[in-house]
Amino acid sequence: MLCAGRLGGLGSRAAPLWPGRAGSRGLGARIRARGVSTSWFPVGAAFNVKPQGRRLDLFGERRGLFGVPELSAPEGFRVAQENALRKADLLVERVCSVAPGPQTVLIFDELSDSLCRVADLADFVKIAHPEPAFREAAEEACTSIGTAVEKRVAELFMFDFEISGIHLDKEKRKRAVDLNVKILDLSNTFLMGTNFPNKIEKHLLPEHIRQNFVVAGNHVIVDGLHAESPDDLVREAAYKIFLYPNAGQLRCLEELLSNRDLLAKLVGYSTYSHRALQGTIAQSPETVMQFLEKLSEKLSERTIRDFEMIRGMKMKLNPQNSELMPWDPPYYSGVIRAERYNIEPSLYCPFFSLGACMEGLNTLFGRLLGITLYAEQPAKGEVWCEGVRKLAVVHESEGLLGYIYCDFFQRAGKPHQDCHFTIRGGRLKEDGDYQLPVVVLMLNLPHPSRNLPTLLTPGMMENLFHEMGHAMHSMLGRTRYQHVTGTRCPTDFAEVPSILMEYFANDHRVVSQFARHYQTGQSLPKNMVSRLCESKKVGAAADMQLQVFYAALDQIYHGKHPLTASTTDILRETQEKFYGLPYVPNTAWQLRFSHLVGYGAKYYSYLMSRAVASMVWKECFRRDPFNRTAGERYRREMLAHGGGKEPMLMVQGMLQKCPSIDDFVSALVSDLDPDFETFLMDSE
C-alpha cells in the first residue's frame, strides 16, 4: 500500500456502494446472466497437486503480469510508468482548473488510482519476482513514480485533506513537502539499519557458542536474537551483541522523530501522535495511553504469574543461573507449552493439507457470506512463478467480486514474511461500472510432491486464515474511491478482519469441517483442537505485556518534543514501568524497532484491533460461527466501507453498542483465561 499511503486517503467519508446501488448492479447482472465461468474449477484440488503447465496458452500470446499488456517483459515497466505519468500530468492540470469540491476528490482519486496501479504492482514485483530483470525494472518504476509523486503531486495533496497542510501559505507548504521527503529518506535508512547485523571479535565469545553464529575471519556476525535457541548463553550473547547501540542508527532515529514532530507542528498539531491518530478508533494519544495503562494494570497479576512460571522452568533446567532475563520468555514458554500440551506440529500437520484448508475457508465464506472461491487457469505470462494460483471470488447473487493471486510456496530469494498486497483497489468508475479489486497473498509453504500434498503446521494454518481475512476485506470493500477501499483504512481497524479469522481458525466447529488426515480421512480429534487453543495461553499475559510496553514506547517517542531524555533512557524507564523484566545495559532495542516506520504512533493498533475482533467474535460468532445473519451484518457494517467510514461507527454498527476503553481491555484480558463456555459447548 505504499502508493496509497504516499498519495494518501483524501479525507472523504463517502458512503460505500452497497450491492443494489448504481455501479454494482450492472456487473452482477452480467455475471449472473452468463453463469459461472467454465474456466473456474474447485479450489481444494488446485492446491493439493503440482501445477500441470499451461496447456491452453503454451503457444498462445504471452500476456503481461496480472493481465497488464505492457508487463509481458521487464522493459514494459518503463512504458507503464510513462503512461501513468502522462495521465497524472493531465489530471494535475485538470484539478488545478476546477474549484475545490466533490469533483476535486474524484480527480484526486483517479490520479491516485493511475499511479497506484503501477506503484503498488511494482512494489510487489520488486520483492517477489524470481527474475532479477523484473525486480530491477520494478525497483526503477517505484523510484520514478515516487519522484513523480513528489514533483507533480506532493504540493497538491501531501496527506489527507484534514492534515495535509493544503491551507498553508506557499512557503510553509514547500517546507512541509521538504520535510515529508526528508522523513521518507530517514525512514528508509532507519529500516535498513534495523536488520543490519552486528559483529564482535571472535575471541570475546566462548568457543563452544561461536558455532551458533556466522564466523567471518576474526569476527562473529550476529544477525538476530536467536530467541528459540535452547542454550541460555547463545540467547544472551545474541541479545547483547545484536542490540548493541549503533551511533549512526541512533542519530537516524532521533532525526526521524524530530522531523516528524516538526511536520506535525507545521500543519497544526501539538505532536506527531495527535496527527497520526486522527480518524482512528482511538482518535487521540490520550485515549491510547489510557487504554495501555488500564490494560497494563489489568494484566499485572497475570504477568507476574507468567514470569514466575517461566522462572520456575528456567530454574528447573538451569539451576545455576535462574534469574529471568528478557531473552528467556520466548524459549521457556515454548518448553512449557510442549511439556503440558503435547502439541508437536508433526501430530497436526497430516490433518491440515493446504487443499483441505482452502476448502475449509471456502465452506466458511460460503456459509457466512454466500461467497465461493474458484481456481482459474492464469494466462501465459500473467503470473510470475509456476506455483502461483489465481482465485476468482464469486458471490452467489452478485457474481465476480475480484481476484486473489496466491503466491504460497517457498522459493529461493522470496521474502519470509506472510503478507497481503493490494495490486488494484476497487472503485466506482465514471461509466458506472465497479473496478474489481486484485490482491496477492504471499506465504512460505512447502511445495506438494507427487505423493504428498503441502501439509501445514497449526501456525501456518492460522496464518493462512489471517491473511485471507485481509483478502476478504479487499474483495468485499465497495467504496466510491480506491484510496479508501478494503485494507486502506485506519491502522487500528485494518487488522480486525484478519485477527477475527484467527478465532474461526481456532474453533473446533470450523476446523472439523475440513481437518481430515490426508491419508486416512480421519477427522482431527476435538481434544487436539482444545489442547492447541489452551497451549496458546501459556505466557500469553507476559506476551501481551510486552506489546503494551512497545506501544507505550512508540507513543512517548511520538509525543511531546523535545524528548525529556535520550531514546535509550526513555526505553529503560518505559520498560521498568510497563514490562517488569530488567533493562540490559549497553543495549538499544529501539534501534531494531522497525515498526516505528510503518506504525509510527500507531503500534498500539494490533492490541486495539485484537480487542475489537475479540468482541465481534464473542458477541456475534462464538455461539454459531456459521451464522449467516451475523456474516451479512459483518459485511454490511465492517467489510464494505474500507476507510470510507469512521472506524468506531463501523464497530458500533457491528456490536450494536458503543464500546468503552474498559470494554476493549476486558475483551483482551478475558481471552487469556480458560474458555469455559467453549469447553461446555464442546462437551455437549
Side-chain angles (χ1 to χ4, degrees):
M1 299 200 324
L2 174 67
C3 186
R6 183 189 293 124
L7 298 181
L10 299 182
S12 164
R13 293 290 180 260
L17 293 169
W18 192 240
R21 295 189 183 180
S24 60
R25 209 166 35 234
L27 174 69
R30 289 198 297 277
I31 293 289
R32 289 195 296 275
R34 67 172 182 258
V36 175
S37 167
T38 55
S39 67
W40 294 338
F41 47 96
V43 71
F47 286 89
N48 267 357
V49 297
K50 290 180 77 68
Q52 299 298 313
R54 311 211 186 308
R55 294 182 299 277
L56 296 176
D57 293 304
L58 203 55
F59 302 104
E61 183 182 354
R62 182 180 174 88
R63 293 187 52 195
L65 289 170
F66 298 102
V68 178
E70 297 93 335
L71 300 184
S72 58
E75 307 79 61
F77 270 104
R78 184 176 296 279
V79 177
Q81 77 194 39
E82 286 172 356
N83 290 343
L85 295 178
R86 270 197 299 273
K87 186 173 181 181
D89 284 337
L90 292 172
L91 289 167
V92 168
E93 286 177 25
R94 193 169 144 206
V95 81
C96 291
S97 67
V98 301
Q103 187 64 22
T104 316
V105 180
L106 286 170
I107 299 169
F108 276 148
D109 190 64
E110 192 176 350
L111 175 55
S112 171
D113 184 61
S114 175
L115 294 172
C116 283
R117 277 177 174 233
V118 179
D120 286 344
L121 194 157
D123 260 344
F124 169 72
V125 171
K126 76 179 183 182
I127 66 164
H129 204 290
E131 295 179 28
F134 266 101
R135 292 199 302 271
E136 289 162 15
E139 178 77 59
E140 190 179 319
C142 285
T143 304
S144 299
I145 289 286
T147 304
V149 169
E150 268 114 45
K151 286 183 178 177
R152 294 169 167 83
V153 185
E155 291 210 14
L156 293 172
F157 58 107
M158 297 173 294
F159 314 103
D160 288 1
F161 273 151
E162 301 98 331
I163 56 175
S164 66
I166 296 283
H167 60 282
L168 301 176
D169 61 42
K170 188 174 180 180
E171 184 181 333
K172 286 185 177 177
R173 193 159 66 238
K174 182 180 183 306
R175 190 172 163 222
V177 172
D178 291 343
L179 276 170
N180 188 46
V181 172
K182 189 172 184 182
I183 287 167
L184 285 173
D185 289 342
L186 287 166
S187 296
N188 288 332
T189 303
F190 182 76
L191 268 181
M192 284 191 289
T194 59
N195 291 312
F196 200 76
N198 271 347
K199 63 182 180 180
I200 186 173
E201 292 180 24
K202 69 180 183 183
H203 72 85
L204 296 174
L205 275 186
E207 191 171 346
H208 72 280
I209 69 166
R210 288 179 205 160
Q211 63 189 20
N212 294 276
F213 306 105
V214 174
V215 177
N218 291 321
H219 289 89
V220 171
I221 310 297
V222 180
D223 61 358
L225 292 174
H226 292 248
E228 302 304 322
S229 172
D231 189 323
D232 287 359
L233 195 54
V234 169
R235 295 195 311 279
E236 178 180 354
Y239 190 95
K240 290 179 174 177
I241 297 166
F242 189 64
L243 299 183
Y244 190 79
N246 175 287
Q249 182 78 340
L250 191 58
R251 281 193 301 274
C252 181
L253 175 60
E254 289 168 350
E255 206 173 339
L256 173 61
L257 297 175
S258 174
N259 278 277
R260 281 177 168 174
D261 181 68
L262 288 171
L263 180 60
K265 288 188 169 74
L266 186 66
V267 295
Y269 290 85
S270 56
T271 70
Y272 183 82
S273 187
H274 282 90
R275 175 193 171 277
L277 295 178
Q278 184 171 320
T280 62
I281 293 175
Q283 293 283 358
S284 73
E286 292 79 14
T287 303
V288 172
M289 287 308 296
Q290 186 186 8
F291 168 61
L292 296 174
E293 285 168 355
K294 285 192 170 191
L295 179 55
S296 186
E297 185 183 338
K298 287 281 189 183
L299 285 173
S300 177
E301 287 184 15
R302 289 172 175 81
T303 301
I304 290 169
R305 286 201 299 269
D306 275 2
F307 284 150
E308 286 173 353
M309 172 187 69
I310 296 167
R311 187 179 288 110
M313 179 55 75
K314 183 174 183 180
M315 190 177 296
K316 177 181 170 183
L317 297 181
N318 187 2
Q320 289 80 28
N321 183 18
S322 59
E323 183 185 1
L324 194 62
M325 297 301 289
W327 51 80
D328 290 326
Y331 172 70
Y332 286 110
S333 293
V335 172
I336 296 167
R337 215 172 281 128
E339 189 177 271
R340 285 189 187 175
Y341 293 101
N342 188 23
I343 50 162
E344 171 57 43
S346 63
L347 298 174
Y348 288 83
C349 289
F351 296 91
F352 293 138
S353 73
L354 177 55
C357 293
M358 293 302 296
E359 282 296 351
L361 286 162
N362 211 13
T363 300
L364 179 63
F365 294 148
R367 292 176 67 174
L368 277 183
L369 299 161
I371 283 170
T372 303
L373 305 175
Y374 290 102
E376 181 177 299
Q377 182 78 7
K380 184 182 178 186
E382 185 179 350
V383 297
W384 48 100
C385 189
E386 185 184 41
V388 175
R389 302 332 194 242
K390 179 183 180 184
L391 299 184
V393 180
V394 183
H395 189 269
E396 61 191 13
S397 61
E398 297 158 41
L400 182 63
L401 298 180
Y403 286 104
I404 304 170
Y405 289 82
C406 299
D407 186 355
F408 283 176
F409 301 111
Q410 297 166 346
R411 63 175 173 272
K414 183 180 179 182
H416 290 293
Q417 194 171 0
D418 296 344
C419 41
H420 163 278
F421 294 85
T422 298
I423 301 299
R424 184 177 73 200
R427 71 184 181 107
L428 180 65
K429 298 190 288 187
E430 286 190 37
D431 62 7
D433 271 350
Y434 197 77
Q435 175 172 292
L436 297 183
V438 175
V439 304
V440 174
L441 294 188
M442 192 160 74
L443 306 177
N444 280 274
L445 307 178
H447 287 269
S449 65
R450 183 180 295 276
N451 302 315
L452 186 71
T454 292
L455 301 178
L456 278 60
T457 65
M460 289 173 180
M461 183 272 284
E462 189 176 285
N463 284 352
L464 171 62
F465 271 64
H466 178 102
E467 297 303 334
M468 196 59 81
H470 284 310
M472 284 298 112
H473 199 181
S474 294
M475 293 296 107
L476 292 171
R478 282 300 179 266
T479 53
R480 182 175 297 276
Y481 307 114
Q482 66 84 34
H483 67 265
V484 292
T485 194
T487 56
R488 292 172 174 171
C489 60
T491 310
D492 57 5
F493 185 79
E495 289 293 329
V496 172
S498 53
I499 293 173
L500 180 61
M501 285 297 293
E502 295 176 20
Y503 286 89
F504 286 99
N506 286 290
D507 186 278
H508 179 262
R509 294 159 298 178
V510 176
V511 174
S512 65
Q513 295 290 314
F514 67 89
R516 301 270 191 284
H517 196 287
Y518 77 99
Q519 288 174 316
T520 67
Q522 176 199 353
S523 294
L524 180 67
K526 187 182 291 188
N527 69 330
M528 286 181 68
V529 180
S530 301
R531 281 208 313 267
L532 193 60
C533 292
E534 286 307 305
S535 73
K536 292 176 183 177
K537 296 179 181 180
V538 173
D543 287 344
M544 193 177 288
Q545 191 78 59
L546 184 63
Q547 294 303 310
V548 172
F549 156 44
Y550 293 162
L553 184 69
D554 175 46
Q555 285 300 306
I556 295 167
Y557 282 168
H558 291 99
K560 190 175 179 181
H561 275 245
L563 296 173
T564 55
S566 72
T567 58
T568 302
D569 286 341
I570 290 169
L571 171 79
R572 186 185 68 250
E573 292 164 13
T574 310
Q575 184 167 335
E576 287 170 4
K577 179 178 179 181
F578 284 103
Y579 189 38
L581 293 186
Y583 164 78
V584 179
N586 298 313
T587 64
W589 177 84
Q590 76 275 19
L591 304 184
R592 302 292 185 178
F593 194 6
S594 60
H595 285 92
L596 285 173
V597 171
Y599 286 77
K602 292 184 282 193
Y603 189 79
Y604 77 93
S605 294
Y606 182 79
L607 288 167
M608 184 72 82
S609 290
R610 181 162 290 281
V612 174
S614 174
M615 294 170 75
V616 171
W617 170 255
K618 289 165 188 165
E619 293 285 330
C620 307
F621 296 109
R622 180 160 64 175
R623 272 311 190 188
D624 176 9
F626 302 108
N627 186 322
R628 181 65 181 266
T629 302
E632 292 293 348
R633 187 163 94 234
Y634 175 50
R635 180 185 178 186
R636 182 176 64 251
E637 298 292 347
M638 298 186 88
L639 296 179
H641 303 280
K645 185 176 180 179
E646 293 293 341
M648 187 58 101
L649 293 178
M650 293 190 271
V651 174
Q652 226 173 303
M654 187 65 201
L655 298 175
Q656 300 183 334
K657 69 175 185 180
C658 184
S660 65
I661 294 295
D662 288 330
D663 290 331
F664 290 139
V665 169
S666 296
L668 287 170
V669 174
S670 67
D671 276 353
L672 302 173
D673 298 327
D675 194 341
F676 293 113
E677 188 174 338
T678 298
F679 174 77
L680 290 173
M681 287 192 293
D682 284 349
S683 303
E684 289 171 0

